[in-house]
């Protein structure tokens, strides 16, 4: 019988023999009492995992009583792979085979092919050696299916978490207490310009924040003021990219604690540049709207006043002329009447401007050549005394298509801007006029730059306001640029003014390229 064969191969289980072979300690031979042996055996049985002694050719020599298969003399001598796994050959990744080969304890080799988790072979095996030869093998099964399942699950959930953070839309960076980077996802890499590898090997969290930024973040994290202690919520801060650019970010960060001690910090952040730009544009639009509203109410008021002024001005002109024709006047009186007539004419011009400003004149919209309109305006102005020492540089793109517009208004608009520039330069300097297509080709841009003193910071926000002037009384009405603004608006365009980096000011007008094919068209009241 198989069982008897196995027993014959075994050394007799005498107490002395076991003492000598296994329990030699510092040269002494420890003596074990029967009670001690009994307890040891019971301990092995009480050990809630399978412990099995097998021969190097896989026959079961002994098992503890906690094994999940029925223990009895019928399994002794049988092959472990048959009894425990119902296999006809030894398991593929058997730790026993490994331990027999190396004569050393062996763990089940790493399983890389997809196996039935419930069929995983034993985890751990070690040989019992005497006189350099293997007497038997111990094989331990640490409830393998469950453990591998857990391990597998843990690995899977770790990979999932890692993947989750890696694919976050936010930048994610974790660092240890010394600032060494522990985690750096692709978004952080794209934003800051460091490769993930570079960040993990060479970067310190302090390098990411300009100045004492990292210190400030830690200080806030540790204070109670910015969320709970250890947390920082929606904190706006600048970071520095690898190429030295400063990037504003919104940061949510927290300290990672272990046993009450700080061990790391983790930050989730996003780039604020687009958001800030959008805000800035919104603010600009809000100001423009406000401006437009103000212009509209002032415009109505001005239109009313202009109409009312027209009659008395007509009266003054008429009676002054009659007096000059009908009466013999002294030279002094004639001169005074001339003055009255001149001022009345000036009054009429202002009224005309006011009416134009409030669109009380008819508008004739048609496709116009902007370059031609500019050249014509310049031609009219160039010969005036004020332009004697002004160098005019034109850089007009021949690629710009006609713009659907009112030519009178265009001329008026260009005239106002050019006159302002020349006045600002006090008749001495350079005026550059540029036209070009915007990058998206839907707009025509016109730029006027001068080399004058520029527009003072406190004046700049008001230049398009009606009646705003810095010129002396009688020199300016404060209506020129507000009229320009209103014309640009009328054409669906935009106007901006800024100071040049060196000197002087620039006015940029963008006019939309639309409806150019709809032919002549009357607009206005
Ligand atoms: P006005 O010319 O009658 O003062 P505007 O509306 O045309 O009225 O201009 C408003 C103000 O804008 C001017 O008084 C001046 O202070 C400022 N300004 C306009 N153009 C320029 C320029 N090119 N350089 C400096 N300041 C300018």
């Amino acid at each position: 019988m198989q069982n008897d064969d196995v027993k014959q191969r075994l050394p007799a289980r005498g107490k002395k023999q076991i003492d000598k072979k296994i329990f030699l300690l510092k040269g002494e031979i420890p003596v074990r009492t029967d009670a001690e042996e009994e307890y040891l055996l019971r301990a092995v049985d009480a050990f809630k995992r399978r412990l099995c002694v097998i021969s190097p050719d896989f026959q079961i020599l002994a098992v503890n009583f906690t094994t999940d298969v029925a223990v009895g003399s019928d399994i002794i001598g049988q092959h472990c792979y048959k009894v425990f796994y119902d296999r006809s050959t030894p398991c593929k990744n058997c730790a026993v085979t490994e331990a027999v080969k190396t004569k050393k304890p062996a763990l089940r080799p790493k399983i890389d092919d997809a196996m039935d988790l419930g069929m995983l072979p034993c985890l751990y095996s070690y040989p019992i050696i005497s006189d350099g030869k293997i007497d038997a093998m111990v094989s331990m099964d640490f409830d393998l299916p469950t453990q591998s399942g857990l391990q597998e699950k843990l690995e899977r959930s770790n990979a999932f978490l890692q993947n989750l953070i890696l694919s976050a839309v936010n930048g994610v960076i974790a660092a240890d207490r010394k600032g060494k980077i522990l985690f750096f996802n692709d978004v952080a890499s794209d934003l800051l310009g460091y490769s993930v590898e570079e960040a993990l090997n060479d970067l310190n969290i302090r390098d990411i924040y300009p100045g004492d930024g990292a210190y400030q973040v830690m200080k806030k994290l540790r204070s109670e003021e910015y969320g709970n202690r250890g947390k920082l919520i929606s904190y706006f801060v600048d970071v520095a990219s690898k190429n030295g650019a400063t990037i504003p970010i919104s940061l949510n960060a927290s300290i990672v604690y272990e046993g009450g001690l700080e061990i790391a910090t983790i930050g989730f952040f996003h780039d604020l540049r687009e958001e800030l730009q959008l805000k800035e544009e919104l603010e600009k639009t809000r100001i423009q709207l406000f401006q437009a509203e103000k212009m509209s109410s002032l415009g109505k008021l001005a239109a009313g006043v202009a109409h009312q002024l027209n009659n008395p001005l007509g009266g003054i002109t008429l009676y002054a002329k009659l007096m000059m024709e009908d009466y013999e006047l002294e030279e002094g009186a004639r001169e005074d009447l001339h003055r009255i007539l001149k001022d009345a004419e000036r009054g009429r011009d202002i009224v005309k401007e006011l009416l134009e400003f409030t669109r009380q004149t008819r508008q004739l919209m048609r496709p116009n050549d902007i370059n031609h309109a500019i050249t014509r305006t310049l031609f009219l102005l160039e010969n005036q005394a004020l332009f004697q020492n002004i160098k005019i540089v034109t850089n007009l793109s021949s690629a710009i298509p006609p713009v659907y517009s009112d030519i009178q208004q265009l001329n008026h608009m260009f005239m106002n801007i050019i006159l302002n520039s020349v006045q600002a330069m006090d008749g001495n300097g350079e005026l550059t006029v540029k036209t070009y297509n915007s990058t998206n080709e839907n707009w025509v841009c016109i730029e006027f730059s001068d080399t004058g003193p520029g527009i003072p910071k406190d004046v700049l926000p008001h230049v398009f306001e009606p009646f705003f002037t810095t010129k002396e009384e009688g020199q300016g009405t404060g209506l020129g640029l507000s009229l320009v603004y209103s014309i640009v608006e009328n054409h669906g365009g935009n106007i901006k003014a800024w100071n040049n980096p060196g000197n002087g000011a620039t006015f940029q007008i963008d006019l939309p390229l639309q409806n150019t094919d709809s032919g002549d068209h009357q607009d206005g009241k």
Side-chain angles (χ1 to χ4, degrees):
M1 251 178 79
Q2 201 182 19
N3 279 4
D4 292 338
D5 294 348
V6 170
K7 276 174 200 157
Q8 272 157 28
R9 270 198 270 126
L10 270 175
R13 289 186 64 175
K15 185 171 169 251
K16 263 192 182 165
Q17 209 167 355
I18 292 171
D19 281 346
K20 271 188 205 157
K21 285 185 178 170
I22 304 170
F23 301 107
L24 279 173
L25 203 67
K26 290 182 190 169
E28 293 168 23
I29 299 171
V31 177
R32 227 176 227 141
T33 62
D34 287 346
E36 221 180 328
E37 272 195 12
E38 177 67 20
Y39 274 123
L40 261 179
L41 271 178
R42 284 173 65 188
V44 171
D45 283 337
F47 186 55
K48 291 282 172 225
R49 283 156 183 171
R50 186 172 71 224
L51 200 147
C52 178
V53 184
I54 56 174
S55 68
D57 55 355
F58 305 105
Q59 285 182 40
I60 299 172
L61 304 175
V63 283
N64 62 347
F65 287 161
T66 49
T67 182
D68 45 2
V69 282
V71 184
S73 57
D74 53 334
I75 71 161
I76 302 297
Q78 288 197 46
H79 286 127
C80 56
Y81 47 81
K82 173 73 190 157
V83 173
F84 297 127
Y85 301 109
D86 198 24
R87 286 184 169 123
S88 51
T89 52
C91 303
K92 195 174 161 203
N93 291 287
C94 177
V96 176
T97 313
E98 183 70 12
V100 170
K101 221 190 300 171
T102 59
K103 290 193 184 171
K104 283 185 182 146
L107 265 177
R108 182 188 66 213
K110 200 167 174 278
I111 311 288
D112 37 17
D113 49 353
M115 291 186 70
D116 177 357
L117 291 180
M119 292 295 279
L120 286 176
C122 304
L123 180 76
Y124 186 57
S125 176
Y126 59 88
I128 302 172
I129 297 176
S130 59
D131 298 332
K133 282 171 105 193
I134 298 176
D135 268 351
M137 303 297 301
V138 178
S139 145
M140 287 155 73
D141 182 343
F142 290 92
D143 195 8
L144 281 173
T146 325
Q147 203 198 31
S148 339
L150 277 179
Q151 178 74 18
E152 186 112 346
K153 266 190 203 156
L154 193 69
E155 272 168 21
R156 246 188 265 152
S157 99
N158 274 348
F160 177 70
L161 277 178
Q162 176 110 345
N163 209 0
L164 205 72
I165 301 180
L166 275 175
S167 40
V169 256
N170 277 340
V172 184
I173 300 179
D176 70 9
R177 289 204 59 196
K178 289 186 177 155
K180 184 181 170 2
I181 307 291
L182 305 173
F183 190 89
F184 200 82
N185 74 348
D186 288 345
V187 180
S189 167
D190 286 348
L191 185 72
L192 297 170
Y194 297 97
S195 70
V196 173
E197 203 182 18
E198 209 176 346
L200 294 176
N201 294 330
D202 308 322
L203 197 66
N204 190 290
I205 194 79
R206 286 180 204 96
D207 305 332
I208 291 173
Y209 297 96
D212 68 344
Y215 167 76
Q216 292 299 338
V217 168
M218 279 318 289
K219 201 170 134 192
K220 290 183 169 70
L221 263 170
R222 288 178 183 134
S223 95
E224 305 268 347
E225 280 169 47
Y226 303 84
N228 291 337
R229 193 180 160 77
K231 305 242 178 295
L232 191 57
I233 291 160
S234 294
Y235 176 58
F236 290 5
V237 64
D238 283 342
V239 285
S241 73
K242 188 179 174 185
N243 66 12
T246 302
I247 304 167
I249 58 160
S250 168
L251 173 71
N252 288 314
S254 51
I255 298 178
V256 183
Y257 295 98
E258 204 174 86
L261 291 175
E262 288 177 13
I263 57 158
T265 48
I266 184 158
F268 294 76
F269 54 92
H270 68 266
D271 188 350
L272 277 180
R273 282 175 296 188
E274 216 172 286
E275 205 172 309
L276 289 179
Q277 198 185 334
L278 212 71
K279 256 191 198 162
E280 203 176 296
E281 270 164 26
L282 263 177
E283 178 60 13
K284 257 192 225 160
T285 314
R286 195 190 64 78
I287 291 173
Q288 270 175 1
L289 264 175
F290 175 69
Q291 181 83 356
E293 232 171 74
K294 204 159 67 173
M295 300 273 282
S296 143
S297 46
L298 271 167
K300 279 180 200 144
L301 181 79
V305 173
H307 271 307
Q308 284 171 13
L309 278 178
N310 250 345
N311 291 340
L313 278 174
I316 294 168
T317 311
L318 177 71
Y319 287 106
K321 278 186 178 161
L322 285 178
M323 277 181 81
M324 283 169 80
E325 282 167 17
D326 296 350
Y327 299 98
E328 279 286 312
L329 295 168
E330 282 175 24
E331 198 43 42
R334 187 164 283 278
E335 254 176 46
D336 289 349
L337 272 175
H338 261 298
R339 269 197 103 105
I340 289 171
L341 264 176
K342 225 176 132 212
D343 279 353
E345 264 162 31
R346 192 170 127 72
R348 243 192 12 230
D349 286 347
I350 293 175
V351 165
K352 215 171 111 197
E353 265 193 45
L354 270 174
L355 286 176
E356 226 169 302
F357 162 64
T358 53
R359 283 184 246 143
Q360 296 294 300
T361 50
R362 292 185 86 76
Q363 205 173 242
L364 183 62
M365 298 294 273
R366 61 170 60 166
N368 283 307
D369 179 344
I370 296 288
N371 291 341
H372 180 70
I374 293 171
T375 320
R376 235 190 100 233
T377 311
L378 284 172
F379 174 77
L380 287 176
L381 293 171
E382 250 167 0
N383 297 323
Q384 294 200 12
L386 193 61
F387 282 71
Q388 295 275 278
N389 295 317
I390 299 288
K391 185 177 172 207
I392 294 174
V393 180
T394 48
N395 189 353
L396 311 178
S397 162
S398 55
I400 57 166
V403 173
Y404 194 65
S405 52
D406 179 302
I407 193 70
Q408 297 275 0
Q409 290 191 351
L410 286 190
N411 291 340
H412 213 94
M413 180 166 86
F414 299 151
M415 181 104 57
N416 268 319
I417 295 182
I418 295 169
L419 275 174
N420 269 342
S421 292
V422 174
Q423 280 169 358
M425 291 189 281
D426 209 8
N428 210 324
E430 192 172 298
L431 172 74
T432 307
V433 190
K434 228 164 81 175
T435 57
Y436 53 94
N437 265 330
S438 69
T439 37
N440 67 11
E441 310 262 310
N442 286 332
W443 298 77
V444 160
C445 307
I446 311 147
E447 251 179 52
F448 298 88
S449 300
D450 62 52
T451 54
I455 309 168
K457 229 176 154 188
D458 54 329
V459 168
L460 194 58
H462 304 290
V463 289
F464 297 112
E465 285 175 17
F467 307 112
F468 177 87
T469 179
T470 56
K471 292 172 189 165
E472 278 170 28
E473 228 184 293
Q475 298 290 308
T477 57
L479 281 173
L481 286 180
S482 56
L483 175 61
V484 170
Y485 185 94
S486 138
I487 293 173
V488 172
E489 205 193 28
N490 222 9
H491 285 76
N494 303 308
I495 181 163
K496 288 182 270 199
W498 66 83
N499 283 311
N500 306 326
N503 56 356
T506 295
F507 285 80
Q508 183 191 316
I509 297 166
D510 300 335
L511 296 176
L513 283 174
Q514 54 198 15
N515 301 329
T516 41
D517 51 357
S518 46
D520 289 5
H521 168 74
Q522 293 277 344
D523 194 12
K525 299 139 209 167

